[in-house]
Amino acid sequence: MSKGRILVTGGLGYIGAHTAVELLAKGYDVVLADNLSNTRKEVLEGIEAVSGQRPTWWNVDIADPSATRAALSEQHFDGIIHFAAYKAVGESVAEPLKYYQNNLTSLVNLLAYVQSHPSCGFIFSSSCTVYGQADDLPITEAAPIKPAESPYGNTKQIGEEVIKETAQAKGLKTIALRYFNPIGAHHSASIGELPLGVPQNLVPFITQSAAGLRGPLQIFGQDYPTADGTAVRDYIHVVDLALAHIVALERLMDNAQEAPMEVFNLGTGKGSTVLEVIQAFERATGQKLAWSYAPRRAGDVVAAYADTTRATQVLGWTAQKSLDEAMRDAWAWQLAIGAPEKEA
Ligand code: WQD
């Protein structure tokens, strides 16, 4: 007997696939909506390899209002976990309209369904990006939302506002999860991160460089006011992140939420510098990494790491996996997939 029917948008993506695996393991009936705009169909095989089940996959563009209405008509879902969005900060600066059109229209299309099915819980993939450079560390959910540094970050801020106002007006059950830095892969090395083109994020660049697929890592900035001069982030294992989504979903399915929209930071509560991440990678894998210092990257904040009090005390969730474990899993995944996707 299924525990419930869940729609996972962006379900063939990095965090989506890891969440799908955990939903299947817990006995949920899972439908993945993904138009393959930033992933590969083979991820479905990976999910099946891990979970022994093949979830239903809808090849639908949820930014298309009529396609989304058609896909969702006559459908019952107990929950929707909405990952599908463009997420490359740099690209969003170059192509703002692409980001606003895709990220906001898909959200509005989904909320139209939830509005007419208010018992359906809605989980939104948000980001610590909404805080910009927070004044106080660690960062709590009460930290002020700073003007977005990129159209990508702005779509997350606007998205939260759209959800909050709609949930309040229509009595919906919604949660926004603000991720810090997701890294690593499922220990089976059957699913993981698939950066298409040159990785913009630190850990996939590290693994591709160590695998000889890229040149030396460039560390963006060595003069930050931190322990070793390199910037600080809160790196959370993607499986810990996936499990947090299940906890949040079940909170809504149990009608335990205390507001129409609740917000939770999802991190480890620990900050690591770029040099510390490199040291963890070398320690965990035995691989030596070539790197050199480079100028700071525009838009980067000095430090960001989560205050995890609310997630622990209200959600009852705490990240379990270490940075070393995430490095081991990321490296095993890199060895499993070999060379990166050719740039589209
Ligand atoms: C981490 C640190 C870089 C690459 C972004 C988005 C965020 C989320 C995660 C989507 C920084 C440094 C990186 C490199 C480096 N994305 N770095 N050399 O920028 O914290 O967060 O990705 O949800 O919304 O903003 O992650 O991995 O790009 O960078 O030195 O080649 O590693 O300067 O200090 P970031 P990141």
Side-chain angles (χ1 to χ4, degrees), residues 30-44:
V30 177
V31 175
L32 308 177
D34 201 306
N35 66 353
L36 300 180
S37 64
N38 192 26
T39 186
R40 297 187 301 201
K41 184 177 177 302
E42 288 71 23
V43 172
L44 202 52

Side-chain angles (χ1 to χ4, degrees), residues 235-241 243-244 267-269 308 311-312 316-326 328-329:
Y235 296 95
I236 175 172
H237 196 294
V238 64
V239 172
D240 278 328
L241 197 58
L243 291 168
T268 64
T308 55
T312 303
W317 169 90
T318 306
Q320 302 297 315
K321 294 175 179 290
S322 68
L323 184 60
D324 283 46
E325 187 171 350
R328 257 196 310 281
D329 293 339

Side-chain angles (χ1 to χ4, degrees), residues 127 129 152 181 200-202 218-220 231 233 297 300:
S127 169
T129 303
Y152 159 74
N181 286 60
Q200 299 305 302
N201 292 138
L202 178 65
Q218 289 194 308
I219 297 181
F220 298 142
R233 296 290 185 276
R297 179 173 66 177
D300 274 352

Side-chain angles (χ1 to χ4, degrees), residues 15 86-89 125-130 150 152-153 156 179-183 199-206 216-221 224 230-235 272-274 277 292 295-297 299-302 304:
I15 308 170
Y86 296 149
K87 61 161 193 168
V89 172
S125 165
S126 190
S127 169
C128 64
T129 303
V130 302
S150 68
Y152 159 74
K156 292 302 181 184
Y179 312 154
F180 280 70
N181 286 60
I183 60 168
Q200 299 305 302
N201 292 138
L202 178 65
V203 173
F205 196 101
I206 285 177
L217 170 74
Q218 289 194 308
I219 297 181
F220 298 142
Y224 283 109
T230 63
V232 172
R233 296 290 185 276
D234 184 335
Y235 296 95
S272 301
T273 68
V274 175
V277 173
S292 62
R296 293 183 179 191
R297 179 173 66 177
D300 274 352
V301 298
V302 180

Side-chain angles (χ1 to χ4, degrees), residues 96-311:
L97 280 186
K98 175 180 174 183
Y99 274 67
Y100 288 115
Q101 192 279 329
N102 183 70
N103 292 6
L104 297 181
T105 308
S106 52
L107 174 63
V108 167
N109 292 343
L110 291 170
L111 286 176
Y113 170 86
V114 179
Q115 186 171 278
S116 53
H117 301 77
S119 67
C120 175
F122 187 78
I123 307 282
F124 179 62
S125 165
S126 190
S127 169
C128 64
T129 303
V130 302
Y131 297 115
Q133 177 54 71
D135 302 324
D136 302 312
L137 293 169
I139 303 173
T140 71
E141 290 83 354
I145 302 301
K146 296 276 184 78
E149 304 261 345
S150 68
Y152 159 74
N154 208 17
T155 64
K156 292 302 181 184
Q157 291 183 4
I158 296 168
E160 288 193 13
E161 281 306 304
V162 169
I163 295 166
K164 187 175 177 182
E165 289 163 13
T166 307
Q168 283 168 342
K170 301 295 180 180
L172 308 183
K173 306 186 296 183
T174 70
I175 288 178
L177 297 175
R178 293 176 180 163
Y179 312 154
F180 280 70
N181 286 60
I183 60 168
H186 192 269
H187 64 82
S188 65
S190 298
I191 52 175
E193 197 166 4
L194 276 177
L196 305 184
V198 179
Q200 299 305 302
N201 292 138
L202 178 65
V203 173
F205 196 101
I206 285 177
T207 60
Q208 288 192 15
S209 175
L213 304 170
R214 301 283 171 203
L217 170 74
Q218 289 194 308
I219 297 181
F220 298 142
Q222 65 189 102
D223 59 350
Y224 283 109
T226 63
D228 58 28
T230 63
V232 172
R233 296 290 185 276
D234 184 335
Y235 296 95
I236 175 172
H237 196 294
V238 64
V239 172
D240 278 328
L241 197 58
L243 291 168
H245 286 75
I246 315 297
V247 173
L249 173 76
E250 291 179 346
R251 178 176 173 83
L252 296 183
M253 290 176 72
D254 296 344
N255 296 306
Q257 75 283 355
E258 292 158 356
M261 183 179 96
E262 294 182 307
V263 176
F264 296 95
N265 286 345
L266 295 184
T268 64
K270 181 182 178 315
S272 301
T273 68
V274 175
L275 284 174
E276 286 167 341
V277 173
I278 293 170
Q279 286 148 19
F281 175 78
E282 293 184 333
R283 183 171 56 238
T285 64
Q287 299 296 314
K288 192 85 184 90
L289 188 76
W291 57 268
S292 62
Y293 286 121
R296 293 183 179 191
R297 179 173 66 177
D300 274 352
V301 298
V302 180
Y305 52 95
D307 179 307
T308 55
T309 309
R310 258 181 67 75

